């Protein structure tokens, strides 16, 4: 079971998260779609086989709520679990790379 976690202000990233989750389901896996604001404890994230994080790009940066979310859950053990990043944007599209870089820093034991 995979968790697709996202922050969306206008709904565009939420639509993308739905498509990402559908792709996971199409591959024969179960996908749970959640807004970052719905996750209060790191324990709520521990029973997944993989993680997909999504955020829009604002001013060449991932959205602050996504950045805070990643750092708040830095004690989450992702060792050996696949993880990915996606994002919506109109200009620069920097958020996915920034999410990925932050995941590598925060969750340095994941199988990215």
């Amino acid at each position: 079971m995979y968790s697709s976690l996202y922050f969306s202000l206008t709904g565009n990233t939420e639509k993308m998260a739905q498509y990402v989750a559908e792709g996971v389901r199409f591959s024969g896996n179960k996908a749970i779609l959640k807004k970052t604001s719905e996750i209060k404890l790191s324990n709520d994230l521990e029973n997944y086989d993989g993680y997909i994080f999504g955020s829009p790009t604002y001013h060449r940066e991932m959205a602050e709520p996504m950045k805070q979310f990643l750092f708040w859950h830095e004690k989450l053990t992702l060792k050996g679990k696949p993880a990915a990043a996606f994002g919506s944007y109109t200009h620069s599209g920097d958020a996915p790379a920034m999410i990925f870089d932050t995941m590598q820093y925060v969750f340095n034991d994941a199988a990215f």
Side-chain angles (χ1 to χ4, degrees):
M1 177 169 36
Y2 288 78
S3 180
S4 181
L5 301 145
Y6 68 93
F7 170 77
S8 184
L9 188 61
T10 64
N12 291 329
T13 307
E14 181 175 12
K15 286 178 191 174
M16 291 179 73
Q18 291 168 352
Y19 287 123
V20 167
E22 187 61 27
V24 169
R25 291 181 194 111
F26 187 73
S27 72
N29 294 288
K30 186 174 181 182
I32 303 298
L33 189 65
K34 292 202 180 242
K35 294 179 182 179
T36 55
S37 61
E38 295 174 350
I39 306 296
K40 302 300 180 199
L41 303 171
S42 292
N43 293 348
D44 296 338
L45 297 173
E46 290 189 349
N47 295 321
Y48 294 100
D49 300 317
Y51 303 87
I52 306 166
F53 298 98
S55 171
T57 299
Y58 294 122
H59 306 288
R60 300 191 62 122
E61 185 72 54
M62 79 173 103
E64 190 62 30
M66 176 54 76
K67 186 186 296 187
Q68 290 174 355
F69 177 84
L70 292 171
F71 279 97
W72 285 338
H73 298 287
E74 67 181 325
K75 297 202 185 308
L76 181 66
T77 302
L78 300 183
K79 188 170 185 88
K81 296 182 180 184
F86 69 93
S88 61
Y89 58 91
T90 57
H91 295 95
S92 68
D94 295 325
M98 290 180 175
I99 293 169
F100 192 78
D101 288 346
T102 303
M103 287 188 319
Q104 287 182 309
Y105 173 76
V106 173
F107 308 118
N108 59 13
D109 58 356
F112 301 116

